[in-house]
Amino acid sequence: MDDPHRNGRPPEPRSDEALMLSFRDGDARAFEELVARHRRGLFNFLLRSVQNRSRAEELLQEVFLRVVRSKDRYERTAKLTTWLYTIARNLCVDESRRAKFRRTTSLDTPRRGVEDEGPAMVETVAADDVPTDDRAAAPQIRQRIARAIDLLPEDQREVFLMRQINGLSFKEIGDIVGAPENTVKSRMRYALEKLRQDLADFNV
C-alpha cells in the first residue's frame, strides 16, 4: 500500500470515533483534537438552549468532563457526535427543569450573548424559511428571529437547533432525542411552519 507521506499527500484526518478510541487507550492529544472539533458547535447549541453564556460554558465543561469519566467504557457503537449531543441535550433538559419556576425574564428582553458567538441566527436558517435580504442584517431583526425560535415548543426548538445550527442529520437527532426519524422530521416541519407564521410580516 502506498504511503501517503511518501507521495506527498497529507494523511486523512482520523474520525471522531478513532480519536475517542485512542483517547480511551491513553492518547491525551486525541482528546484535545476532539475538543477542538466540537467545542464551538456544542457551545452554540448549549448557549441557544440555556440563553446564558456563563452557564453554557459551565455545561460545555460538564459535557467534556462526562466524556473523560466515561472513556474507559466507550465502545464504537454509534457516531461520537450522537453521544456528545445526547449528553449536551440531557444537561439542557436538567437545566430547564431547574429554571422552570425561577425564570422571570421577559420574552421582550434581548438574548444577551447569543448573536456574537458563531454565525448569526439569520445566517443559519434556510433561505426559504426566513428573510435573508439586507433587512435581516439589522440587529433588531436578528433578535426578532431569535425570539421566534425561543417561542417554539421545546421539542421543536431542540430539533431546529440541532438541524439548522449544528447540521446533524434527522437520524442522528432521532437517536439523541429518542424519537423515530419521521417524528423528528415532523417536529422540524412544524417548527418551520410556526417560524414562517411568526415572521410573515417580513415577506413582501
Side-chain angles (χ1 to χ4, degrees):
M1 181 179 297
D2 291 339
D3 184 341
H5 293 283
R6 184 179 303 168
N7 294 327
R9 297 193 304 270
E12 291 291 326
R14 288 190 290 172
S15 69
D16 291 339
E17 294 74 27
L19 287 170
M20 188 63 201
L21 289 173
S22 292
F23 174 52
R24 186 191 65 182
D25 294 337
D27 183 358
R29 289 186 178 180
F31 178 69
E32 292 173 1
E33 187 170 344
L34 285 172
V35 172
R37 283 186 187 181
H38 296 289
R39 176 184 175 86
R40 187 179 185 86
L42 286 166
F43 178 75
N44 282 337
F45 174 73
L46 291 165
L47 179 60
R48 289 182 168 92
S49 296
V50 303
Q51 302 176 27
N52 180 289
R53 179 173 294 274
S54 61
R55 188 58 182 145
E57 286 281 6
E58 293 171 355
L59 293 178
L60 179 66
Q61 297 303 316
E62 180 64 23
V63 170
F64 288 118
L65 181 59
R66 292 191 181 191
V67 171
V68 171
R69 288 173 175 168
S70 303
K71 70 180 180 68
D72 292 334
R73 300 191 301 274
Y74 175 75
E75 297 291 341
R76 191 171 184 169
T77 57
K79 289 189 67 173
L80 187 75
T81 50
T82 301
W83 184 37
L84 291 175
Y85 280 91
T86 298
I87 296 172
R89 187 246 183 184
N90 288 340
L91 289 172
C92 289
V93 170
D94 291 342
E95 184 72 10
S96 177
R97 288 170 179 164
R98 284 193 295 268
K100 186 174 181 180
F101 299 106
R102 67 172 186 266
R103 185 175 299 151
T104 57
T105 303
S106 169
L107 290 174
D108 292 330
T109 302
R111 302 190 331 158
R112 294 175 293 174
V114 171
E115 55 269 18
D116 58 350
E117 179 69 26
M121 181 69 71
V122 71
E123 297 171 351
T124 64
V125 181
D128 292 337
D129 300 322
V130 296
T132 56
D133 58 17
D134 291 341
R135 295 171 302 156
Q140 62 268 29
I141 296 181
R142 289 204 300 270
Q143 291 174 4
R144 169 78 180 278
I145 295 171
R147 286 198 296 271
I149 293 171
D150 287 344
L151 291 173
L152 291 171
E154 186 173 348
D155 59 346
Q156 295 176 23
R157 185 175 66 250
E158 66 180 4
V159 168
F160 179 89
L161 292 175
M162 286 187 223
R163 178 66 175 175
Q164 295 295 131
I165 307 300
N166 301 101
L168 300 182
S169 70
F170 288 121
K171 183 180 184 308
E172 288 176 301
I173 297 171
D175 291 340
I176 292 167
V177 304
E181 187 173 344
N182 285 339
T183 299
V184 171
K185 290 179 179 178
S186 294
R187 291 176 185 175
M188 183 67 176
R189 183 173 66 254
Y190 292 140
L192 293 176
E193 288 174 355
K194 189 172 191 308
L195 290 175
R196 290 192 192 100
Q197 293 172 3
D198 292 346
L199 303 171
D201 56 305
F202 289 153
N203 297 326
V204 180

